Amino acid sequence: MDILSDDGTQLVENLKNWEEMFNRPRYEKNVDPHDVNMVRILSSYEMSEKNTCGLSICKQPHNKGFLVLCKRKSGSALPLETNIGSVCGANIFGVTFKEQQNSYNRDLNTIRYRTLIEDSICKVGFYRERIHKMRKIDGGDRAYALVRNLVDAHGIQFSLKTKLERRAKLGNNSVSAFHKASKRDIELEESMKGRKLTEAERADLTQEIPLGSIAGVRAIIDYKLVKSELVNELPKLLSDLEALKPEELHFTELTMWSKRLDGLDERFIKVTDYIEDCKRFSLESNIQFLSLIHISEPTRRTPI
């Protein structure tokens, strides 16, 4: 299918097979590059099978290249199309070919970026409903507030909060206690080593006892993102998006907006995960577990 670039030139979506190319009405083989000037690249292709270059001085079999539009230097005023590989294009058409590659890529990106923006504008209402659902129906506001209150109102003391943040960054939610090894543990260790342990080795030998897991530990560092995304960042993005006129945007603006919209759906998925972590973290059973760990810290070595 042919599509139009901003300057009205027809571009071709990636060709699927050689037959599709050869059946184009302007396509010609055995084109003498001295008889034509390359006007622009119309399409790129990557075929499953190899076929020859369209230039008479090359004819090198390849499966990856470009469909190009050429203007005849004499004779018919009608342009022609042929196919060339990137090496052939660079060697024969030189700087012109490189310029046309850049122009072609820019034209394709312009179309892609504008389509992305137009499609996203059509989904603004859907995204706003999704934000409302995540905040009010799925409990995002409440989940955020529960964790915020625990942190800001010192429901979790600063020393414990710091340790939890460290665990969240490492992705480690399991908690264990370490006790000095018993006589039996020391005997087993000596049996395995085949020798007596030194006093220093006996003092360092400990026994690890699993205590449990911290539910939703990443909430301690991610809870602020629930508010920033659902209350500030995403609504602002949608308001800016709704005011756009995609057909009036220049390439630099299109590029900027493509970056802003890139991964938008994934952002919603991440916020859903943040909310679920906040819910798990703020469970009464989880808070009680954290309190017991904290109270026991002076007498029990816990890697937290």
Side-chain angles (χ1 to χ4, degrees), residues 173-187:
N173 68 339
S174 60
V175 181
S176 299
F178 292 87
H179 293 287
K180 187 175 180 180
S182 66
K183 182 179 179 181
R184 178 60 179 161
D185 293 328
I186 293 173
E187 290 174 350

Side-chain angles (χ1 to χ4, degrees), residues 242-268:
E242 193 174 38
L244 288 181
K245 295 181 179 180
E247 69 279 2
E248 297 179 0
L249 297 179
H250 298 296
F251 184 73
T252 52
E253 296 170 314
L254 291 169
T255 302
M256 181 272 291
W257 267 103
S258 74
K259 292 178 180 178
R260 287 190 71 182
L261 294 172
D262 184 44
L264 179 56
D265 289 321
E266 286 76 10
R267 285 173 69 178
F268 279 93

Side-chain angles (χ1 to χ4, degrees), residues 95-277:
V95 175
T96 299
F97 180 74
K98 183 62 178 177
E99 290 173 346
Q100 292 299 337
Q101 272 188 301
N102 293 337
S103 177
Y104 172 71
N105 290 333
R106 182 186 175 106
D107 285 341
L108 279 188
N109 285 332
T110 296
I111 294 167
R112 289 172 184 149
Y113 296 162
R114 186 167 284 127
T115 300
L116 171 64
I117 294 168
E118 290 170 346
D119 290 346
S120 298
I121 289 174
C122 292
K123 296 170 67 176
V124 165
F126 164 76
Y127 286 132
R128 284 188 171 135
E129 290 178 4
R130 193 171 179 182
I131 290 172
H132 174 78
K133 180 177 181 294
M134 292 171 71
R135 292 184 60 187
K136 305 302 181 182
I137 300 174
D138 297 340
D141 285 359
R142 174 174 169 75
Y144 158 76
L146 286 171
V147 178
R148 179 203 60 195
N149 292 342
L150 282 170
V151 175
D152 294 351
H154 305 293
I156 296 177
Q157 294 189 13
F158 180 77
S159 59
L160 180 57
K161 174 177 173 289
T162 301
K163 295 171 185 177
L164 288 171
E165 288 173 346
R166 189 184 310 124
R167 279 185 164 272
K169 291 174 182 177
L170 293 173
N172 183 7
N173 68 339
S174 60
V175 181
S176 299
F178 292 87
H179 293 287
K180 187 175 180 180
S182 66
K183 182 179 179 181
R184 178 60 179 161
D185 293 328
I186 293 173
E187 290 174 350
L188 287 172
E189 186 71 13
E190 289 177 337
S191 176
M192 290 174 61
K193 290 182 177 294
R195 64 174 178 82
K196 290 289 186 180
L197 298 180
T198 65
E199 288 300 321
E201 288 175 329
R202 291 187 179 198
D204 289 339
L205 189 62
T206 57
Q207 180 184 22
E208 181 178 0
I209 303 175
L211 298 179
S213 299
I214 304 168
V217 67
R218 283 199 60 86
I220 199 73
I221 58 175
D222 289 340
Y223 77 96
K224 292 182 179 179
L225 295 174
V226 176
K227 179 180 179 180
S228 64
E229 285 285 67
L230 296 183
V231 178
N232 301 319
E233 299 299 330
L234 288 172
K236 175 67 165 58
L237 173 62
L238 297 179
S239 293
D240 293 346
L241 178 63
E242 193 174 38
L244 288 181
K245 295 181 179 180
E247 69 279 2
E248 297 179 0
L249 297 179
H250 298 296
F251 184 73
T252 52
E253 296 170 314
L254 291 169
T255 302
M256 181 272 291
W257 267 103
S258 74
K259 292 178 180 178
R260 287 190 71 182
L261 294 172
D262 184 44
L264 179 56
D265 289 321
E266 286 76 10
R267 285 173 69 178
F268 279 93
I269 294 172
K270 285 183 179 179
V271 177
T272 298
D273 291 340
Y274 302 153
I275 292 171
E276 292 306 310
D277 279 339

Side-chain angles (χ1 to χ4, degrees), residues 12-58:
V12 184
E13 289 187 319
N14 286 357
L15 295 160
K16 304 299 187 297
N17 54 65
W18 292 108
E19 184 178 5
E20 181 183 354
M21 181 188 297
F22 298 155
N23 287 337
R24 290 179 62 81
R26 292 180 180 174
Y27 180 84
E28 294 184 19
K29 283 186 176 182
N30 299 317
V31 175
D32 188 337
H34 300 104
D35 294 340
V36 297
N37 290 319
M38 191 178 73
V39 177
R40 70 174 302 127
I41 295 173
L42 295 177
S43 179
S44 61
Y45 58 84
E46 187 168 359
M47 309 297 190
S48 58
E49 299 177 353
K50 291 185 177 182
N51 214 310
T52 56
C53 175
L55 298 181
S56 59
I57 62 174
C58 178

